[in-house]
């Protein structure tokens, strides 16, 4: 039994991937593999187990850092009214774990919130920027989009997390997008429903966590009358432009299309 998985091409022509499965029982635990360009298993035939507990841990993400290591992140969501957290693990290129068994809790716990839907991109000096939703415990949770930069030891590099979007909650069960900008920062894209109208947004963070656009991001289309959803995002470093492609629908959702927008 598998949930969502993540795969990246690495700098040596191979790939690294992470997923959760139930090989050790009925709950989901996180596994990581690295496959070299010749098809061999660099981290062993069964990969490296990143977590082993009774908690719900689905849909991990992974990136290769600027110093040639790998960082995986995932949400840990215990059952009941117990707070969850975001876990991080750093691996060497040969699969040795560096942040201890079970990973390091880099977000939470706070009250009974269950942060989730995290993602990770490389930043400067081997550090990473992690994005996540503040709380995914219930349909009414504050699913605000946040980000933080972590050094090679897993310590915060910004005084506080950057609250990228808190105008409302992102949809439940929805993964926002984050990509690196090539200069140590990150570009984020997402959609949210404000006043029953879905809008797509983008924001860029510099390496210090400072928002480059107005707080809560830039809407890809200014004005009412249609929905913009499920944006994909790319960044053109030569022009400092953000490219977004997204679903576009009328409010009755009987006419659908795909549109593109560029943000300077």
């Amino acid at each position: 039994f598998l949930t969502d998985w993540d795969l990246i091409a690495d700098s040596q022509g191979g790939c690294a991937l992470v997923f959760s499965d139930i090989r050790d029982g009925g709950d989901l635990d996180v596994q990581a593999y690295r496959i070299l360009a010749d098809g061999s298993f660099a981290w062993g035939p069964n990969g490296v187990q990143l977590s082993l507990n009774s908690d719900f841990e689905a849909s991990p993400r992974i990136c290769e850092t600027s110093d040639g290591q790998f960082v995986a992140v995932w949400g840990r969501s215990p059952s009941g009214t117990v707070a969850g957290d975001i876990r991080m693990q750093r691996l060497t290129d040969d699969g040795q774990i560096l942040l201890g068994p079970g990973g390091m809790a880099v977000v939470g716990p706070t009250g009974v919130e269950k942060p989730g839907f995290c993602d990770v991109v490389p930043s400067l000096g081997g550090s990473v920027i992690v994005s996540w939703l503040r709380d995914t415990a219930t349909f009414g949770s504050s699913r605000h989009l946040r980000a933080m930069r972590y050094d090679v030891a897993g310590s915060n590099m910004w005084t506080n997390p950057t609250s990228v979007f808190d105008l409302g909650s992102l949809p439940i069960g929805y993964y926002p997008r984050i990509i690196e900008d090539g200069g140590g920062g990150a570009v984020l894209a997402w959609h949210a429903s404000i006043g029953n109208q879905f809008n797509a947004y983008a924001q860029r963070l510099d390496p210090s966590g400072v928002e480059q656009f107005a707080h809560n991001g830039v809407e890809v289309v200014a004005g009412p009358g249609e929905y913009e959803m499920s944006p994909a995002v790319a960044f053109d470093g030569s022009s400092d432009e953000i490219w977004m492609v997204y679903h576009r629908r009328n409010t009755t959702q009987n006419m659908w299309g795909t549109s593109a927008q560029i943000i300077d």
Side-chain angles (χ1 to χ4, degrees), residues 76-101:
R76 184 187 68 90
S77 182
S79 60
T81 57
V82 180
D85 53 43
I86 301 297
R87 294 269 161 172
M88 174 189 291
Q89 185 58 268
R90 180 176 287 263
L91 300 99
T92 61
D93 61 355
D94 61 355
Q96 302 300 309
I97 63 171
L98 300 177
L99 298 182

Side-chain angles (χ1 to χ4, degrees), residues 10-244:
D10 68 26
S11 60
Q12 304 302 311
C15 68
L17 64 153
V18 285
F19 55 85
S20 300
D21 67 22
I22 58 171
R23 66 182 67 181
D24 289 310
D27 69 291
L28 293 168
D29 295 311
V30 180
Q31 322 293 337
Y33 288 71
R34 186 177 178 213
I35 310 300
L36 301 182
D38 63 1
S40 59
F41 286 61
W43 294 348
N46 296 313
V48 177
Q49 187 153 9
L50 303 186
S51 71
L52 179 59
N53 55 55
S54 59
D55 299 323
F56 182 75
E57 297 170 305
S59 306
R61 294 292 189 264
I62 193 168
C63 77
E64 184 177 6
T65 60
S66 62
D67 57 0
Q69 296 183 339
F70 296 84
V71 170
V73 295
W74 64 94
R76 184 187 68 90
S77 182
S79 60
T81 57
V82 180
D85 53 43
I86 301 297
R87 294 269 161 172
M88 174 189 291
Q89 185 58 268
R90 180 176 287 263
L91 300 99
T92 61
D93 61 355
D94 61 355
Q96 302 300 309
I97 63 171
L98 300 177
L99 298 182
M104 174 183 290
V106 293
V107 178
T110 302
V112 295
E113 292 185 350
K114 297 182 188 294
F117 292 88
C118 54
D119 209 339
V120 60
V121 295
S123 186
L124 304 174
S127 66
V128 296
I129 296 175
V130 177
S131 64
W132 71 93
L133 298 189
R134 170 186 165 185
D135 186 18
T136 63
T138 70
F139 281 93
S141 296
S142 299
R143 294 182 297 279
H144 300 156
L145 180 57
R146 292 180 170 176
M148 171 60 81
R149 183 178 168 200
Y150 299 95
D151 65 17
V152 295
S155 298
N156 297 353
M157 298 187 71
W158 302 336
T159 302
N160 295 297
T162 297
S163 185
V164 178
F165 185 81
D166 54 16
L167 183 63
S169 290
L170 271 67
I172 197 164
Y174 170 66
Y175 244 113
R177 302 293 188 98
I178 182 172
I179 59 173
E180 59 179 308
D181 70 359
V187 175
L188 299 98
W190 66 94
H191 76 251
S193 176
I194 305 300
N196 294 320
Q197 175 152 331
F198 286 97
N199 298 303
Y201 302 84
Q203 181 62 272
R204 185 179 179 188
L205 304 179
D206 72 9
S208 298
V210 177
E211 295 173 299
Q212 300 302 288
F213 307 145
H215 181 55
N216 288 313
V218 175
E219 290 185 45
V220 298
V221 175
E226 63 180 39
Y227 295 160
E228 299 91 39
M229 306 176 72
S230 304
V233 63
F235 183 74
D236 184 347
S238 64
S239 62
D240 265 2
E241 292 174 337
I242 298 169
W243 286 65
M244 295 177 68

